Amino acid sequence: MKITKETVRDKQGYRLHILPTTKYKTVSIVAKFKAPLKREGITERALLPHVLHKATNNHPNVRLLQSALEDLYGTGFSSDGSKKGENHVLSFRMEVVNESYLNESEPILEKALNIFHDVLFNPKVVDNGFDEAIVKREKQTLEQKITSIKDDKMSYANLRLIDNMCEEEPYSLHVHGYLEDLKKITAKSLYEHYLGMIENDVLDVYVIGGVDEAGIEALSDQTFTRVNSDNQGEHLESEPFHPTESKEIVEREEVNQGKLHIGYRTHIKFGDDDYYALQIFNGLFGGFPSSKLFMNVREKHSLAYYAASRFESHKGLLLVFSGVDPKDYNQAKSIILDQMEAMKQGDFSDEQVTDAKEQVVNQLQETMDNANGLIEVLYHQMLSGSTIQSEELMENIRNVTKEDVVKVAEKIELDTIYFLTSQEGGDE
Amino acid sequence: MEALTYKQLNETVYSETMENGLQVFLLAKPEMAKTFGIFTTNYGSIDQTFTPIGKEEQVTVPEGIAHFLEHKLFEKEDRDVFQDFTKQGASANAFTSFTKTAYLFSATSQIEKNVETLLDFVQDPYFSKESVEKEKGIIGQEIRMYDDQPDWRSFFGTIQSLYHKHPVRVDIAGTVDSIEDITKDDLYTCYETFYHPSNMVLFVAGNIEPEKMMEQIRSNQNRKEFKGIPKIERFYPEEPAEVAKSEASITMPVTTAKAMIGVKEDVSALDGAELVRAELLSGMILDYYFSKSGEFYEQLYKEDLIDSSFQYETELDRQFGFTILGGDSRKPDELAARVKEMLHQLKDNHISEEDFKRMKRKKIGQFMRALNSMEFIANQFTHYHMLGVDLFDVLPTIESLTTSDADQYVENWIKEDSISVFQVNPQTNA
């Protein structure tokens, strides 16, 4: 197996990460803007990518902008905002067909990067503000998105768990923003916010695919160079938080299935020594179909179709989620809590630890086969300031012992149990 | 073993038909860490009425049985096959669609063992009364989960409006009631009829040596006994050309209403290549008008009739076909009326050469992007193969399409009685 290695170069106003590989028929370019996660400005940051996507000075409306991308063999362009611990990251992703697979000799990549540049640095501006009509319409769309989070019960339950669990911490901020703030945003105020982001955010650019390093470096400089910014910026680390006692919250909606979500504090983050053991812990506890949650909640008691766990790498949280009948709340809850107890007691075999390690390594290698997956792994590493080679990463996972996993389990604290259930209840 | 090389794409697919009829395809991707294997039977939720192997009389089995069978194949007398894959560092999964049931794994080590496990577990059923009963609780929760998802409800609601009797209108997992009737004997009946190797395709893509892997699969299959190569008889009800209902709606606890516009497609006269061609044309025409660069999209978006949730798709398969457009809307009645009007207008419009060229380039690019995914290649190759089409021929097919093909397509596409509107409306409680 070949592992793709990145080269990182500090450039004017951005850091360039190049990963040449022949794995793909396309070239992926991802630009990541990072700023501290704050209530102030979060709604603007949620709105910005949508407005930027609609028009540039060279493509003054959405049809012209989209047609230009379509003409470049349907170049894909998307953006999103996400939380990485106490930081907020806006990602802009472009995927361009590798010219060598096409019959034509057109500089597709160069043309696509010109559009990328325009979207980020040359948006449509009228009188020191964005286009009023575009901003107005995108505010409506975002409003709808904020309101309809409730319609996807799994995401909604997750949101409510974090609301309750991290009440006092920036991490509880909603990535889509807030309705009351949205109302106040104008075409001018958003543009000012945009200028601040372009000047102050830390920008990392990843290029992955069959590219020539020197050629792509020159193209990137044309596209991403910024005048003022340094490449350091402010980076916020989560403060440790120890719950004094756990909370239990039951909310009611018109649902057929109850959503039982449980939040734990692991106090372990990406880059920590015991992060590898946490990955194995999660594999044994709820990460795979062989895990305790799947085997007990689903296979043994037939209470759920899914019962699983995942961890938030930069925030030190472990989240359990499962969908159960409202009447089975107490039974499902106590089975889940028992599984955590069993983990703390070391109630699993060395053989299971070995299996989990193979699973985690397998998953990691698969993630790195995928362009966006690989970029996420590398970006996580960079944020945590602990860049290590993939071989070492896997070696560290393989070195985890049963004792390491038990030590991790002992650190984990129950914080919040959240249950979204039907109006009729049945939680007793 | 045969080798087919697609020069432009720089891919080679190796294939062989085993003595028992199983078709095997291998794609070597040595630069990948991962290997993906998928074992598919040409049997899905629409295959409810058939003549069981070795019998004379046709039977109709309970709704949701193909999906139930998919769940149960993982369980053996002494163990759960998920655990076997786990021990071999692999992750396994399965899915059931209208026309197919597929079992899959992905792994970065112990590939030979994992391929062996995949073949063996699917070809060695074990169903007991107790384990069938136990599964009803799990699948019951799976169905409940979908009951709470407005997108799933609107998708099936639309199909149910389009079809009178055809089993495509039945939810793939069945209902909480219909799965109650499933017995272990039913599962064996379906298994024995539809899981004969001659009705199945194995596709392995990734970090493999084709010669060696083909030999391994050959010897695995030669170790097992299968009776002849039976002909499967499936029956479907007579389905009228027109839609079952031109309008329908449900009420759900959603914050925003949804409007979906369904078009019932007539696929009865189309062979596989024609289905694929029709699907491509439909996609390009819908892209032209309803993607973010489209003039209809622009009108709908400006008037606040749609938001970013607006989507469209055309699915054509053996026995059925539909196109569905729609999404969240604050004014679902108006959206439905406008989209219907736009669909009827299609035949009066004409896509220019230049615009059509752009749509072709877009389709080609989408296809190339999809080829980055071994899962896409394996799934879609299998799907097309079962329709008698080669996945990699899609590229020249796109190249060959012309504006007059598009004009001809829209000419016969939309008819008043082939359209149906389905809405999901919020509950208006105080």
Side-chain angles (χ1 to χ4, degrees), chain B residues 140-415:
Chain B
Q141 284 311 313
E142 186 178 1
I143 293 168
R144 290 277 180 242
M145 177 180 82
Y146 284 111
D147 282 346
D148 283 332
Q149 291 176 8
D151 288 328
W152 186 252
R153 298 280 300 273
S154 62
F155 176 71
F156 259 97
T158 309
I159 294 172
Q160 279 163 3
S161 296
L162 294 177
Y163 284 87
H164 295 257
K165 305 179 216 161
H166 194 279
V168 67
R169 67 192 308 284
V170 176
D171 191 313
I172 291 164
T175 64
V176 172
D177 288 338
S178 77
I179 62 169
E180 272 310 313
D181 298 336
I182 293 173
T183 65
K184 91 179 206 307
D185 293 340
D186 293 334
L187 294 177
Y188 277 115
T189 301
C190 294
Y191 180 86
E192 278 152 17
T193 305
F194 294 107
Y195 281 68
H196 192 279
S198 59
N199 194 41
M200 302 186 73
V201 173
L202 172 70
F203 198 114
V204 184
N207 201 342
I208 54 168
E209 287 172 51
E211 295 278 356
K212 231 173 109 188
M213 172 136 306
M214 197 63 95
E215 175 50 37
Q216 186 204 335
I217 295 164
R218 221 177 279 134
S219 75
N220 176 292
Q221 291 302 290
N222 286 341
R223 281 201 299 273
K224 298 171 187 172
E225 286 222 20
F226 295 92
K227 276 178 233 156
I229 292 187
K231 191 176 175 315
I232 300 173
E233 278 191 286
R234 319 169 193 230
F235 304 91
Y236 305 97
E238 266 306 300
E239 177 66 32
E242 73 276 5
V243 301
K245 288 180 203 158
S246 59
E247 278 178 21
S249 68
I250 54 165
T251 305
M252 258 188 95
V254 290
T255 53
T256 314
K258 280 176 195 299
M260 310 305 284
I261 299 83
V263 183
K264 190 172 181 174
E265 308 284 358
D266 181 9
V267 294
S268 53
L270 304 181
D271 70 16
E274 289 163 336
L275 280 181
V276 170
R277 200 166 163 275
E279 217 170 55
L280 288 169
L281 277 170
S282 164
M284 285 161 68
I285 294 162
L286 291 173
D287 273 351
Y288 177 69
Y289 292 103
F290 291 101
S291 78
K292 283 178 183 160
S293 68
E295 58 172 290
F296 288 165
Y297 183 93
E298 184 181 40
Q299 290 172 32
L300 297 171
Y301 194 77
K302 275 197 175 150
E303 291 167 41
D304 194 16
L305 293 175
I306 57 171
D307 63 17
S308 54
S309 68
F310 183 81
Q311 280 182 353
Y312 49 85
E313 65 166 305
T314 298
E315 194 174 334
L316 307 178
D317 210 324
R318 59 175 166 93
Q319 286 292 322
F320 68 91
F322 52 78
T323 293
I324 297 178
L325 303 88
D328 291 355
S329 180
R330 289 185 232 230
K331 299 166 200 160
D333 294 329
E334 219 178 311
L335 172 61
R338 287 297 300 283
V339 172
K340 270 177 83 166
E341 188 192 316
M342 287 168 170
L343 289 172
H344 282 299
Q345 274 174 33
L346 287 177
K347 46 169 158 298
D348 307 322
N349 292 11
H350 173 75
I351 304 178
S352 73
E353 292 294 337
E354 195 195 333
D355 288 334
F356 194 71
K357 194 178 158 211
R358 196 176 83 236
M359 292 305 117
K360 278 166 76 166
R361 288 166 68 121
K362 180 178 180 176
K363 252 296 171 271
I364 290 168
Q366 281 173 343
F367 183 70
M368 305 281 270
R369 273 154 63 188
L371 293 183
N372 281 338
S373 157
M374 295 193 293
E375 287 87 343
F376 170 86
I377 296 176
N379 276 324
Q380 204 65 6
F381 192 99
T382 303
H383 171 67
Y384 280 1
H385 176 77
M386 286 177 178
L387 294 173
V389 179
D390 184 330
L391 172 70
F392 295 103
D393 284 342
V394 166
L395 212 49
T397 305
I398 300 171
E399 295 283 6
S400 75
L401 296 170
T402 64
T403 49
S404 68
D405 292 329
D407 290 343
Q408 216 179 336
Y409 189 79
V410 293
E411 190 58 40
N412 303 305
W413 194 4
I414 309 296
K415 298 176 189 74

Side-chain angles (χ1 to χ4, degrees), chain A residues 2-3 17 32 35 46 58 85 158 176 186 190 200 242 245 264 326 334 336 355 396 411 416 427:
Chain A
K2 291 170 195 160
I3 295 166
H17 309 249
K32 287 177 170 292
N58 290 323
N158 190 51
H176 292 314
T186 66
L190 188 66
N200 302 320
H242 289 274
E245 56 182 356
Y264 292 92
S334 72
I336 295 170
D355 291 347
N396 289 342
K411 275 188 161 183
T416 302
D427 54 321

Side-chain angles (χ1 to χ4, degrees), chain A residues 23 25-26 63 70-71 74 95 101 106 137-138 141 144 151 256-257 302 359 362 365-366 369, chain B residues 8 11 31 33-34 89-90 106 108 134 141 148 255 293 301 306-307 330 358 361-362 369 372:
Chain A
K23 280 188 183 183
K25 293 193 161 51
T26 55
R63 286 190 63 195
E70 285 175 351
D71 214 27
E95 195 181 353
Y101 289 104
E106 213 182 315
R137 187 63 190 85
E138 292 313 309
T141 295
Q144 201 143 317
D151 296 350
N256 287 298
Q257 184 179 68
S302 296
Q359 293 269 82
N362 179 52
Q365 289 186 329
E366 287 193 16
D369 264 350
Chain B
Q8 191 188 344
E11 303 285 7
E31 63 280 14
K34 170 166 77 173
S106 65
T108 54
K134 191 209 75 179
Q141 284 311 313
D148 283 332
T255 53
S293 68
Y301 194 77
I306 57 171
D307 63 17
R330 289 185 232 230
R358 196 176 83 236
R361 288 166 68 121
K362 180 178 180 176
R369 273 154 63 188
N372 281 338

Side-chain angles (χ1 to χ4, degrees), chain B residues 63-119:
Chain B
E63 296 174 356
I65 198 161
H67 171 259
F68 202 104
L69 178 53
E70 171 228 298
H71 272 240
K72 283 292 19 124
L73 265 189
F74 283 94
E75 202 165 313
K76 303 300 170 205
E77 188 170 7
D78 53 347
R79 70 195 199 284
D80 187 321
V81 178
F82 274 125
Q83 312 308 319
D84 297 354
F85 281 112
T86 298
K87 286 201 191 321
Q88 293 157 205
S91 52
N93 214 333
F95 64 85
T96 306
S97 72
F98 293 123
T99 55
K100 283 180 273 296
T101 314
Y103 301 84
L104 52 100
F105 78 87
S106 65
T108 54
S109 61
Q110 305 189 57
I111 306 306
E112 289 78 16
K113 258 189 180 170
N114 284 310
V115 169
E116 206 82 3
T117 304
L118 178 67
L119 285 167

